[in-house]
Every structure is written in structure tokens, then in C-alpha cells.
């Protein structure tokens, strides 16, 4: 399956998702590396086997080996960071914010691709995972690097659509299996 096949798998009741999927990927103004790195990182973050299985080959074909690895690294490190920082933020005791994190995240400092690309992918994964503190942090780094709001919004639009497609297709698969 490919992007087109994934779109055709979206049920009629979710037609908006099908249209949005084609739009956010097919009509994106992002450079190819930013686009496909965002697609891959958010497909991983969506936790949808269907979405990942269908989008990963196209992402891999459109990314250098370094960018492919970096996008997967962004998904991995943000899976950890989003839980840690979201939890620390949600706890009512502000003292947790003064404690040393003590978590290795060296890839953020040396991702193997342009820092802006990695930050954009990290922001998109943080959108999927719902970590406001990480969203703010990555958005600030991107804005300081001169990235405009439209580009940043493009990344989290991709995240929103890929997450929604994953939820929809995975729930359809469960419903179909339970009907058997």
C-alpha cells in the first residue's frame, strides 16, 4: 500500500481525513526532508501499525539514510521526553521542575541532520503525544532559528491528520475483527 492506498482505506464517514491526508502530504510546502521526516516521526508516534506500515516505505524512499534515522530518533526520544515533561508539568508540586531530569537525550544535540529539521519533527511528535511543555520548547527553538509560524503549523497539521487516520483505521480493524 502507499499514500493513495492508505487514503482509499479511510472509510466514507471520515472523508475529511482522506482529503486532509492527501492535502497535508501531497500539497505541502515543506521541503521533502522536513515533510517526509515529519510523516515518518508522526506515523511512529501515532502507534498505528497500519499507518506506519503504509507510510514508512515512502518516507524511506524520500529521505537520506541519515534523515530516516534522525526522524526515527526524534520519535524515540520524544516518546520518552513527552511522558517525562508532561508528567512533571502536570504534577501540582513545582519542586519536580527543579530536579535534574537525569535522562539521556544526546540525539537532540547531535541528530545527524539540520537542527531545524529535527526540532520540527520533535515538535510534531510532541503534538501527537500532547506535551505542552515540549511543544513550547521546540516552537521557541524553531522561532529563534527563523522558522515561520506557517511552517510550524504545517508540521502539527501533518501530526493531527496522521494521528486521526491511525485512530480511525485501527478502530475499523478492531471493529471488523470483532464482527467476525
Amino acid at each position: 500500500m502507499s499514500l493513495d492506498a492508505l487514503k482509499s482505506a479511510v472509510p466514507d464517514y471520515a472523508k475529511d481525513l482522506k482529503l486532509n491526508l492527501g492535502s497535508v502530504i501531497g500539497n505541502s510546502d515543506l521541503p521533502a526532508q522536513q515533510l517526509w521526516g515529519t510523516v515518518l516521526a508522526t506515523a511512529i508516534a501515532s502507534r498505528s501499525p497500519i499507518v506506519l506500515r503504509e507510510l514508512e516505505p515512502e518516507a524511506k524512499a524520500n529521505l537520506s539514510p541519515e534523515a530516516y534515522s534522525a526522524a526515527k530518533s526524534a520519535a524515540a526520544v520524544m516518546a520518552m521526553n513527552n511522558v517525562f515533561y508532561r508528567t512533571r508539568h502536570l504534577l501540582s508540586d513545582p519542586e519536580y521542575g527543579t530536579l535534574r531530569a537525569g535522562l539521556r537525550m544526546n540525539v537532540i544535540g547531535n541528530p545527524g541532520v539540520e537542527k531545524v529539521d529535527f526540532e520540527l519533527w520533535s515538535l510534531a511528535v510532541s503534538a501527537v503525544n500532547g506535551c505542552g511543555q515540549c511543544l513550547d520548547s521546540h516552537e521557541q527553538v524553531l522561532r529563534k532559528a527563523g522558522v515561520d509560524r506557517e511552517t510550524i503549523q504545517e508540521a502539527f497539521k501533518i501530526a493531527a491528520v496522521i494521528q486521526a487516520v491511525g485512530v480511525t483505521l485501527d478502530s475499523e480493524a478492531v471493529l471488523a475483527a470483532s464482527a467476525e
Side-chain angles (χ1 to χ4, degrees):
M1 215 187 284
S2 64
L3 174 59
D4 289 334
L6 189 61
K7 288 190 309 189
S8 69
V10 175
D12 289 340
Y13 69 81
K15 181 181 178 184
D16 289 332
L17 296 182
K18 182 183 308 196
L19 296 171
N20 286 327
L21 184 62
S23 177
V24 298
I25 296 176
N27 299 327
S28 177
D29 290 330
L30 293 178
Q33 180 166 296
Q34 287 183 354
L35 170 64
W36 287 103
T38 302
V39 167
L40 179 58
T42 57
I44 293 167
S46 78
R47 298 173 188 84
S48 169
I50 297 167
V51 167
L52 182 57
R53 182 179 62 240
E54 303 312 330
L55 293 178
E56 184 274 340
E58 285 189 64
K60 191 171 191 175
N62 284 283
L63 292 169
S64 68
E66 296 80 14
Y68 178 79
S69 179
K72 292 193 317 181
S73 293
V77 76
M78 295 317 297
M80 173 185 68
N81 285 357
N82 293 156
V83 170
F84 179 81
Y85 287 103
R86 183 178 62 235
T87 301
R88 196 155 81 167
H89 173 75
L90 290 172
L91 289 170
S92 60
D93 184 347
E95 291 300 311
Y96 287 102
T98 67
L99 300 175
R100 182 177 170 277
L103 296 172
R104 294 200 181 272
M105 47 190 108
N106 295 328
V107 71
I108 293 173
N110 187 17
V113 294
E114 292 292 323
K115 181 91 166 129
V116 164
D117 293 354
F118 191 83
E119 288 290 331
L120 195 67
W121 304 337
S122 296
L123 177 128
V125 170
S126 297
V128 171
N129 292 332
C131 181
Q133 189 170 357
C134 291
L135 283 165
D136 282 343
S137 175
H138 295 290
E139 190 267 348
Q140 289 169 13
V141 170
L142 288 163
R143 295 290 293 143
K144 285 179 186 168
V147 177
D148 59 41
R149 286 180 178 88
E150 291 78 12
T151 298
I152 294 168
Q153 180 171 287
E154 188 73 19
F156 64 80
K157 276 176 34 180
I158 292 167
V161 172
I162 287 177
Q163 172 68 11
V165 168
V167 166
T168 301
L169 294 179
D170 290 349
S171 65
E172 283 297 309
V174 169
L175 293 171
S178 68
E180 294 175 357

